[in-house]
Amino acid sequence: MSDEGRFDAYEHGGDEGETGQDGEEGQEVYDGSRKPDDDMGADRCHGQGGYGGPGNGSGGGPGNGPTPGPGRSPRIPMPRASVEDGGRPLPAPAESPAPAPPLLLEHQVLKALLGAWALAACSPEETLAVEDHLGDCGSCADEALRLREAVGLLQRPESLDLDPGLRTRVLEGCLDRRPPRIPVPDWATPYDAETARLDALLQDIGDAEWHAPVRLRWFQANEATSRRTTVAGVIAHLLTVDGLVAIALGLDDPLGEVSADAPTPAGRTEAYWRASHFPPTRSVRVPWREQSHDLVRTVSFTGGGAGRPAVSYGAFELPLRDAMLDRAFECWVHAEDIAEAVDYPYGPPSPRHLNRMIDLAARMLPAALAVRRRTGLASPAPGRHLVPAGEPGRTLRLEIEGHGGGEWLIPLDSPAAIGSADREIAHVALDGVEFCRLAAGHVSPTEAAAGQLGDREAIRDVLFAAASLSRM
């Protein structure tokens, strides 16, 4: 800053002739060819050849040679003028290449190209020629349409539904990496899996679908019966019947202060439905899901040894392990009822879990058959007699085909008898899912068997006994 209070490009004056006054030697006179700011910017360049910088023979400081004068070109390049401002003619635009002439192909050649055109395998020129031809030739247009539809059949549509085994594989992979501190008992995993699958279905449906009509079906005596309810009513039914297991484990009863006419699944369900001021809605999902979590958590902590109490169903009892398997079976059956009502894809349980459900039903058949005989629904044929406990008796071979299948020997003369292949008098074969639907009362006993061999009356008694396992 100089004494006059103005900014100088450099503080120390150079030799005479470098910093003269107006018009003196060394002073560059502004001639209007550039802005005054350009001079200021040039003066500020202290280096790389700028004024006042270290010299390389071209600077303006002391010992760097003379500064540019009026006859010299400016040291800072001037802005480049645009073509439009310079008055020079604009360059001619590049000419676009002329479009290629369309292919001129004969009718037979174009017809031969229809297959490649349907597969999108033609060149652009061939595609244009074929499509132009289709607008003029009706027979080729019909053929092209048929080929396009055939190409669509070659591509298998991919299902958007998740693989039913994905959850099992993910859980197994996670548990292999980090085993749980308190694992879920192996006999409780079917219930855990089926409640999770049903919960996934419930989260996918809308509010209106909770009021979709559902018909609960089961087999009573020798006739099929049903009860009409809604999707929410089915979940309320599962909540109240699962409550029988909760009571056996010391958990809260979902009925609360509501009293049922009978401590049976049907009696508890009817009591819950009557106590509801309004028809159940999707709000019933939360208590049902929380109770299922509590059941799995409790049996994981307490285990399921011989000392655990049995679960009472009113007219009969089941060990805790079998009761959890029974609840898994009913959860799957009613999930299919809901899926059918809301048009939702739903598959059977995994083969391992399905096998356990079939095994439970097969083990319950001798007792169910004995009950039907006592009530006169299965009259004993001449020559039938009770067999001492633990002794082999007349036997029916139950063959279950498909996933989760196997073979079971069903004693016919007494629940305490032992099935024996040497005393086999009948053989019946069914599909695994079909047998489970028979045990759920969704299939008529006269239509369920896929194959029968041997004593027809014994086969009929066993099939009707299987259907009698069902209940609301």
Side-chain angles (χ1 to χ4, degrees):
M1 184 71 71
S2 64
D3 295 337
E4 291 81 7
R6 63 184 179 87
F7 179 80
D8 290 334
Y10 33 83
E11 297 294 339
H12 303 287
D15 295 338
E16 188 178 359
E18 295 179 357
T19 58
Q21 298 297 323
D22 297 339
E24 294 182 0
E25 183 181 1
Q27 177 68 31
E28 184 177 355
V29 180
Y30 173 64
D31 58 359
S33 61
R34 56 193 175 125
K35 299 178 181 178
D37 292 339
D38 295 335
D39 294 331
M40 183 66 73
D43 292 344
R44 289 176 183 153
C45 297
H46 299 284
Q48 303 298 327
Y51 299 153
N56 58 1
S58 60
N64 289 339
T67 60
R72 299 172 181 267
S73 61
R75 305 179 68 84
I76 300 177
M78 301 304 297
R80 299 176 64 181
S82 64
V83 176
E84 293 84 350
D85 297 337
R88 290 177 289 179
L90 297 176
E95 296 183 0
S96 58
L103 291 178
L104 298 178
L105 303 176
E106 296 180 357
H107 173 81
Q108 295 300 328
V109 177
L110 292 170
K111 186 175 181 180
L113 287 174
L114 291 179
W117 172 84
L119 293 170
C122 288
S123 66
E125 295 79 7
E126 292 172 339
T127 300
L128 181 60
V130 170
E131 291 177 352
D132 288 343
H133 177 68
L134 295 180
D136 300 330
C137 182
S139 61
C140 287
D142 294 339
E143 180 67 17
L145 180 60
R146 288 193 294 269
L147 290 174
R148 269 291 168 88
E149 292 176 351
V151 170
L153 296 176
L154 295 177
Q155 301 176 351
R156 294 184 58 187
E158 296 183 1
S159 174
L160 299 179
D161 299 323
L162 296 178
D163 182 2
L166 178 61
R167 181 178 185 272
T168 302
R169 293 198 301 270
V170 171
L171 289 177
E172 288 178 351
C174 295
L175 295 177
D176 289 342
R177 291 173 177 264
R178 185 179 179 182
R181 184 175 302 175
I182 302 176
V184 176
D186 187 59
W187 46 268
T189 53
Y191 177 79
D192 186 29
E194 292 308 310
T195 52
R197 289 208 305 147
L198 175 55
D199 188 54
L201 184 159
L202 297 177
Q203 294 186 62
D204 279 352
I205 65 177
D207 292 339
E209 291 176 308
W210 280 84
H211 301 287
V214 179
R215 187 163 292 278
L216 301 179
R217 295 168 290 170
W218 67 97
F219 203 81
Q220 190 170 1
N222 286 333
E223 296 180 356
T225 186
S226 63
R227 177 73 153 79
R228 189 177 183 275
T229 183
T230 63
V231 172
V234 175
I235 301 304
H237 167 63
L238 291 175
L239 172 70
T240 56
V241 183
D242 286 355
L244 294 172
V245 183
I247 295 172
L249 293 174
L251 301 177
D252 293 336
D253 186 354
L255 285 181
E257 301 297 329
V258 178
S259 59
D261 297 337
T264 60
R268 290 173 58 86
T269 301
E270 295 288 353
Y272 187 93
W273 287 344
R274 287 195 306 267
S276 300
H277 297 290
F278 301 98
T281 62
R282 71 176 308 146
S283 61
V284 75
R285 171 187 163 268
V286 175
W288 167 76
R289 192 64 178 126
E290 289 180 349
Q291 179 178 257
S292 66
H293 283 307
D294 290 341
L295 292 179
V296 174
R297 187 183 303 111
T298 303
V299 298
S300 299
F301 276 98
T302 61
R308 304 312 307 168
V311 178
S312 173
Y313 283 76
F316 62 95
E317 290 184 348
L318 286 177
L320 178 60
R321 297 188 179 206
D322 290 345
M324 291 294 290
L325 194 55
D326 170 78
R327 302 315 308 143
F329 174 78
E330 187 167 357
C331 182
W332 163 48
V333 170
H334 290 319
E336 282 199 335
D337 293 335
I338 295 173
E340 182 180 355
V342 300
D343 196 18
Y344 189 96
Y346 206 82
S350 65
R352 181 177 57 182
H353 295 166
L354 186 62
N355 177 267
R356 295 180 181 179
M357 296 177 187
I358 295 172
D359 177 72
L360 174 63
R363 288 188 284 110
M364 295 175 68
L365 279 177
L369 185 58
V371 171
R372 287 181 59 84
R373 285 195 180 126
R374 287 198 300 267
T375 56
L377 297 175
S379 301
R384 291 188 178 179
H385 59 280
L386 293 179
V387 176
E391 296 293 330
R394 296 183 315 126
T395 303
L396 177 140
R397 181 182 298 273
L398 176 63
E399 180 182 355
I400 302 299
E401 302 171 339
H403 296 298
E407 289 189 355
W408 286 263
L409 299 177
I410 310 299
L412 300 175
D413 294 329
S414 172
I418 298 176
S420 172
D422 295 335
R423 304 195 59 180
E424 179 181 328
I425 63 170
H427 184 179
V428 60
L430 297 93
D431 175 74
V433 175
E434 188 80 358
F435 175 75
C436 288
R437 288 174 178 162
L438 170 67
H442 288 194
V443 176
S444 171
T446 58
E447 301 174 357
Q452 302 178 8
L453 180 65
D455 191 331
R456 298 290 179 175
E457 189 175 359
I459 294 174
R460 180 186 180 279
D461 287 344
V462 170
L463 293 179
F464 273 84
S468 68
L469 296 175
S470 62
R471 58 181 180 274
M472 187 178 79

